[in-house]
Amino acid sequence: MELVSFALCPYVQRAIIILDEKQIPHNRTYIDLANKPDWFKEISPLGKVPLLQTEQGVLFESAVIGEYLDEVTTGSLHPKNAFEKARHRSWIEFGSTILAAIAGFYSAPDHQSFQEKRAVIASKFEQLETQLGETDYFASDDFQFIDAVYGPIFRYFDTFELFISDSFFQSTVRVQKYRAKLSERPSVIQAVSGDYQNRLIDFLLKKNSYLAQLINQKAT
Ligand SMILES: N[C@@H](CCC(=O)N[C@@H](CS)C(=O)NCC(=O)O)C(=O)O
């Protein structure tokens, strides 16, 4: 299997984490999304990564790729109970809305919209907090499918916190604990390369955004 990837993509990271958790041998090809190769345009219906090339054909959409990888290998990273599995899938969708809020935050052009987007993220973490208990991960001490979604989300904040002093997690103690546990998980750690943070900062600096101004201020 071949995973077509982009170094900073949180959706790609989901697939990489599941490939690692299920110990699935595969190759990865990293492309530049700003300069998509023709072969990629030909096989990618939406022009997006991740894309999984298998002997049977191409799959796209990270959730679909993850479900496929989970199904074709022994055991499942999902809970067995149908309602619980569906609940996890609901909160996986919720995770995608957090990613959209994060993109809004790092692209916000001025202080006011920056603060507004920041409040949206904080309120989403408050909603997530209501779902978490005393377990290490989302709903278990064992790593599950949904945890592959939240690892890449929390990773952004390791970089944001270099430039922003107030915590996003002040009122969400369980989310903060969940974040810390995921940051120690080998599959989550290996889902990006060693230069990820520098690459992310370069990416953020290219945006004409309020966050880019904060990063520049810190550098001077
Ligand atoms: N819903 C998609 C989202 C994937 C996505 O948005 N990927 C981004 C990179 S993180 C992408 O390929 N964007 C295309 C572009 O930038 O042209 C999934 O879950 O796979």
Side-chain angles (χ1 to χ4, degrees):
M1 284 196 253
E2 175 99 23
L3 188 74
V4 184
S5 311
F6 170 64
L8 293 176
C9 179
Y11 300 96
V12 166
Q13 291 175 47
R14 295 177 179 184
I16 296 177
I17 292 169
I18 290 171
L19 284 160
D20 189 69
E21 289 288 341
K22 298 213 89 177
Q23 298 180 347
I24 304 171
H26 66 280
N27 294 317
R28 281 180 223 156
T29 305
Y30 284 87
I31 62 161
D32 179 4
L33 284 176
N35 191 10
K36 293 175 189 168
D38 288 339
W39 62 262
F40 173 73
K41 289 187 206 157
E42 273 162 34
I43 61 168
S44 170
L46 296 176
K48 290 183 181 180
V49 290
L51 202 71
L52 188 72
Q53 288 183 282
T54 76
E55 279 173 1
Q56 289 160 287
V58 165
L59 295 175
F60 55 102
E61 285 296 318
S62 60
V64 176
I65 292 170
E67 297 284 354
Y68 171 75
L69 294 171
D70 193 45
E71 274 179 35
V72 296
T73 45
T74 319
S76 173
L77 290 172
H78 274 306
K80 283 198 178 69
N81 176 278
F83 176 80
E84 265 300 287
K85 194 195 297 190
R87 186 176 77 88
H88 284 211
R89 287 179 173 144
S90 297
W91 286 91
I92 286 170
E93 282 302 312
F94 188 80
S96 297
T97 73
I98 301 180
L99 286 175
I102 289 172
F105 169 75
Y106 67 59
S107 308
D110 51 49
H111 184 247
Q112 192 188 332
S113 58
F114 178 83
Q115 292 294 24
E116 283 165 11
K117 303 290 180 188
R118 190 195 160 97
V120 172
I121 295 173
S123 98
K124 284 188 184 286
F125 284 145
E126 279 163 23
Q127 287 175 278
L128 179 63
E129 178 88 356
T130 67
Q131 299 303 304
L132 302 178
E134 296 302 323
T135 53
D136 282 353
Y137 300 118
F138 181 80
S140 168
D141 287 336
D142 294 323
F143 189 94
Q144 295 181 301
F145 192 108
I146 188 168
D147 302 314
V149 168
Y150 282 92
I153 290 174
F154 294 137
R155 193 193 311 279
Y156 277 104
F157 296 87
D158 301 341
T159 303
F160 295 159
E161 285 172 356
L162 297 175
F163 309 104
I164 299 160
S165 48
D166 303 344
S167 171
F168 281 83
F169 303 95
Q170 236 145 24
S171 61
T172 52
V173 177
R174 287 178 174 170
V175 176
Q176 179 67 302
K177 193 174 137 249
Y178 182 31
R179 174 192 178 195
K181 281 285 170 198
L182 283 175
S183 74
E184 293 164 1
R185 185 81 184 175
S187 65
V188 174
I189 295 170
Q190 63 80 48
V192 292
S193 59
D195 62 353
Y196 166 85
Q197 191 164 65
N198 286 339
R199 278 171 178 261
L200 179 59
I201 291 171
D202 282 350
F203 169 83
L204 296 171
L205 277 171
K206 286 192 188 114
K207 307 235 156 232
N208 192 12
S209 66
Y210 186 76
L211 181 59
Q213 287 175 37
L214 293 183
I215 298 173
N216 277 319
Q217 274 168 22
K218 193 95 180 182
T220 51

